[in-house]
């Protein structure tokens, strides 16, 4: 499961007050009905079934919610899921909105490759892709949230990739790789791209260590700390709402660029002449467009297709480049799988499909787990949420929980992109039978999603009016 964004006002699991602020100690109607339906569905699995839990990032939202609020809402939600209390194992793969937890763990030295802080290996920016608790480390904070929900173990942490594999005497038959999904987008590789532009030299072959080492602090700053920054975070959230609701986004970016240019002129000993002033203006406008402007162009704001062309290329590049190289580094080239599946979230647009990645001989099966947020006032989008379920033999199926279709919400359905017919996929059959046995509960869930989405639409319209009025009073908008 991924992208709950617990505590954020646009999250469908967050209960909101009349002023659209999040309530603690409560969960939304959508979250409550989902818990009932999922509990019934998993109870319909064959007797003796046991479950592991993989939390695939952005479970918490530290950009649009205070850490205490986000953690409280997530714990309240997970507490309603019966299987969490009985889970044998929990693995946490941080995303961009909860990336700060990975930073905290890394500096806590829980996931270092070595034992000597005087070596570079100790300060690795990534974890191995698989292994035991001693090898992967664990997240103290996510572990505490899960403990509040009744889970008795620790949250093993893998970042940015986690894998499960199935082998035979002839080699690795299949691997399933898990990644939150942020590194498929340019916005989360901004410092790598900026460094290449500044030096004029092509970047070396990208590895996950290089990607995280160059961009981790940027991800924390832009996506994982605003909720903990008081007034600065409040204004940052206001800016984000303004960009999400459209309107005068361009005028707002122009204001930020003027403010930045003015700060450069007044705080740095730069001589003032026409050519220099123009250079400062252009540089400030370019930087704002590269950062704030890039925000409004993120994949989750591409509403009418499950992946934009740029993100498809980014997905192929990540799977065939950094992901494949980490597989080789961790397991050896001879262990590369004959069949690969890739599970990610981040985009808030669930789907199941296959893509051709040149570095692998067979098409790669791709599952996206969507997200539990409404990213815009629009309902004619392809947003939605799924859970991805995998059996011990790595057969995979996704339960698409809801999907926006305009005026209605599509009911839950089971999907699979595994390279075998659905009738021959035991995970598809098991999940679909279990879902059908809880059909009445899922119908109530679908109805609650529709009501929650309507409330979020009202919130966006109110936020847009509030943001515009505030910025006009401050002279930041015409």
């Amino acid at each position: 499961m991924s992208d709950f964004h617990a505590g954020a006002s646009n999250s469908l699991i967050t209960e909101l007050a009349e002023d659209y602020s999040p309530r603690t100690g409560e969960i939304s109607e959508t979250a409550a009905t989902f818990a009932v339906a999922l509990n019934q569905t998993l109870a319909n699995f064959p007797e003796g079934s046991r479950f592991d839990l993989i939390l695939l990032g952005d479970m918490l939202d530290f950009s649009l919610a205070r850490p205490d609020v986000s953690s409280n809402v997530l714990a309240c939600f997970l507490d309603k899921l019966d299987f969490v209390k009985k889970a044998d194992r929990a693995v946490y793969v941080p995303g961009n909105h909860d990336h700060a937890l990975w930073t905290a763990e890394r500096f806590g030295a829980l996931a270092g490759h070595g034992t000597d802080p005087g070596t570079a290996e100790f300060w690795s920016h990534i974890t191995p892709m698989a292994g035991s608790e001693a090898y992967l480390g664990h997240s103290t904070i996510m572990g505490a949230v899960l403990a509040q929900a009744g889970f008795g173990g620790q949250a093993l942490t893998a970042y940015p990739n986690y894998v499960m594999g199935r082998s035979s005497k002839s080699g690795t038959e299949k691997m399933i790789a898990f990644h939150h999904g942020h590194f498929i987008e340019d916005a989360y590789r901004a410092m790598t791209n900026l460094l290449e532009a500044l030096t004029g030299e092509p970047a070396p072959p990208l590895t996950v260590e290089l990607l995280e080492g160059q961009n981790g602090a940027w991800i924390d700053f832009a996506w994982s700390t605003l909720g903990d920054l008081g007034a600065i975070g409040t204004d940052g959230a206001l800016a984000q709402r303004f960009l999400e609701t459209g309107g005068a986004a361009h005028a707002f970016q122009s204001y930020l660029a003027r403010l930045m240019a003015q700060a450069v002129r007044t705080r740095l000993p730069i001589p003032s002449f026409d050519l220099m002033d123009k250079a400062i203006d252009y540089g400030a406008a370019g930087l704002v467009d590269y950062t704030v402007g890039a925000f409004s162009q993120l994949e989750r704001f591409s509403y009418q297709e499950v992946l934009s062309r740029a993100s498809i290329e980014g997905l192929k590049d990540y799977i065939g480049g950094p992901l494949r190289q980490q597989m080789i580094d961790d397991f050896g080239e001879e262990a590369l799988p004959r069949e690969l599946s890739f599970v990610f979230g981040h985009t808030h647009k669930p789907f199941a499909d296959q893509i051709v990645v040149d570095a692998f001989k067979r098409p790669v099966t791709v599952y996206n787990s969507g997200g539990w947020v409404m990213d815009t006032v629009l309902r004619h989008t392809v947003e939605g949420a799924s859970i991805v379920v995998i059996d011990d033999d790595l057969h995979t199926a996704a339960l698409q929980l809801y999907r926006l279709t305009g005026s209605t919400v599509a009911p839950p359905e089971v999907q699979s992109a595994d390279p075998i017919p659905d009738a021959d996929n035991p995970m598809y059959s098991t999940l679909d039978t279990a879902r059908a046995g809880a059909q009445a509960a899922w119908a109530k869930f679908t109805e609650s999603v529709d009501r929650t989405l309507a409330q979020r639409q009202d919130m966006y319209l109110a936020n847009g009016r509030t943001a515009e009025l505030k910025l006009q009073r401050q002279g930041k908008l015409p």
Side-chain angles (χ1 to χ4, degrees):
M1 301 188 290
S2 78
D3 293 272
F4 287 156
H5 292 270
S9 295
N10 62 348
S11 170
L12 271 61
I13 75 166
T14 305
E15 178 69 3
L16 301 183
E18 290 185 3
D19 64 352
Y20 302 115
S21 61
R23 293 183 184 273
T24 56
E26 301 180 49
I27 57 174
S28 70
E29 177 193 11
T30 288
T33 55
F34 167 73
V36 171
L38 184 62
N39 289 340
Q40 290 185 17
T41 298
L42 297 185
N44 291 334
F45 270 56
E47 186 176 355
S49 295
R50 302 186 64 86
F51 299 94
D52 293 336
L53 174 64
I54 297 178
L55 302 173
L56 201 52
D58 286 5
M59 311 306 293
L60 301 163
D61 192 320
F62 291 158
S63 66
L64 292 180
R66 297 202 321 259
D68 57 316
V69 172
S70 187
S71 300
N72 177 276
V73 172
L74 181 60
C76 289
F77 177 47
L78 294 177
D79 181 57
K80 303 296 183 182
L81 302 179
D82 293 342
F83 85 98
V84 171
K85 300 174 177 59
K86 305 173 185 177
D88 291 330
R89 178 182 172 97
V91 178
Y92 169 50
V93 183
N96 51 301
H97 284 284
D98 50 11
H99 183 274
L101 293 193
W102 166 242
T103 300
E105 179 174 338
R106 175 178 170 253
F107 282 111
L110 294 173
H113 285 282
T115 57
D116 180 4
T119 63
E121 290 78 14
F122 185 86
W123 299 103
S124 173
H125 293 87
I126 62 173
T127 71
M129 303 180 83
S132 64
E133 177 189 335
Y135 200 48
L136 289 179
H138 66 274
S139 171
T140 304
I141 296 174
M142 186 57 71
V145 171
L146 285 166
Q148 289 182 316
F151 177 65
Q154 293 179 318
L156 305 186
T157 301
Y159 183 83
N161 301 314
Y162 175 69
V163 299
M164 299 189 301
R166 185 186 73 219
S167 300
S168 66
K169 292 181 179 179
S170 58
T172 305
E173 294 290 338
K174 183 174 183 177
M175 278 187 182
I176 299 181
F178 302 84
H179 169 60
H180 174 67
H182 49 296
F183 279 140
I184 76 169
E185 289 196 76
D186 271 342
Y188 303 92
R189 302 192 298 262
M191 296 301 104
T192 298
N193 297 336
L194 182 61
L195 183 63
E196 183 177 356
L198 290 174
T199 62
E201 299 178 0
L206 288 180
T207 64
V208 287
E209 173 69 29
L210 187 65
L211 276 174
E212 175 62 20
Q214 293 179 344
N215 297 282
W218 160 244
I219 294 171
D220 274 344
F221 168 74
W223 287 279
S224 194
T225 55
L226 283 177
D228 198 30
L229 291 179
I232 296 175
T234 300
D235 282 347
L238 183 68
Q240 175 161 337
R241 290 173 189 167
F242 203 63
L243 288 169
E244 288 175 343
T245 52
H250 178 71
F252 180 64
Q253 288 177 222
S254 297
Y255 165 76
L256 291 180
R258 291 196 302 271
L259 193 66
M260 181 179 294
Q262 181 181 352
V264 169
R265 291 189 183 96
T266 56
R267 299 183 184 185
L268 296 180
I270 297 176
S272 178
F273 54 91
D274 186 58
L275 187 60
M276 178 61 72
D277 288 342
K278 287 183 178 179
I280 293 173
D281 288 340
Y282 290 149
L287 185 59
V288 169
D289 185 62
Y290 192 72
T291 54
V292 179
F295 172 86
S296 61
Q297 299 301 317
L298 291 178
E299 174 60 37
R300 63 191 178 95
F301 296 125
S302 174
Y303 301 124
Q304 301 304 322
E305 51 193 357
V306 292
L307 276 184
S308 65
R309 185 178 299 275
S311 289
I312 292 173
E313 294 306 313
L315 178 62
K316 291 179 179 180
D317 289 345
Y318 185 78
I319 293 174
L323 177 70
R324 182 179 184 275
Q325 186 58 52
Q326 191 182 12
M327 289 178 173
I328 293 172
D329 292 343
D330 282 13
F331 310 120
E333 190 164 5
E334 68 280 358
L336 287 173
R338 296 183 179 87
E339 181 183 330
L340 175 66
S341 291
F342 184 77
V343 182
F344 71 115
H346 179 66
T347 68
H348 305 166
K349 297 179 292 187
F351 69 92
D353 207 343
Q354 293 190 349
I355 61 171
V356 175
V357 178
D358 291 341
F360 290 91
K361 295 180 179 179
R362 299 181 181 179
V364 176
T365 302
V366 178
Y367 291 92
N368 185 282
S369 51
W372 291 77
V373 298
M374 190 177 190
D375 281 317
T376 172
V377 71
L378 303 174
R379 289 184 60 160
H380 290 272
T381 72
V382 292
E383 292 176 288
S386 287
I387 57 173
V388 180
V389 189
I390 303 160
D391 69 14
D392 290 342
D393 292 318
L394 305 189
H395 298 112
T396 305
L399 177 58
Q400 187 173 96
L401 305 169
Y402 77 92
R403 180 171 52 82
L404 303 187
T405 60
S407 59
T408 61
V409 177
E413 65 173 343
V414 176
Q415 302 173 330
S416 179
D418 279 14
I420 56 175
D422 291 344
D424 297 334
N425 182 343
M427 190 69 262
Y428 180 96
S429 302
T430 297
L431 184 57
D432 197 39
T433 299
R435 176 206 57 81
Q439 188 168 349
W442 284 118
K444 292 182 179 180
F445 166 74
T446 301
E447 293 170 359
S448 72
V449 169
D450 189 57
R451 288 189 290 269
T452 302
L453 289 171
Q455 183 191 41
R456 298 306 186 267
Q457 282 183 298
D458 293 340
M459 178 196 72
Y460 272 122
L461 293 173
N463 282 344
R465 290 190 294 267
T466 300
E468 188 165 1
L469 289 172
K470 180 175 181 178
L471 293 171
Q472 284 176 342
R473 286 196 302 268
Q474 296 174 350
K476 299 176 183 179
L477 284 177

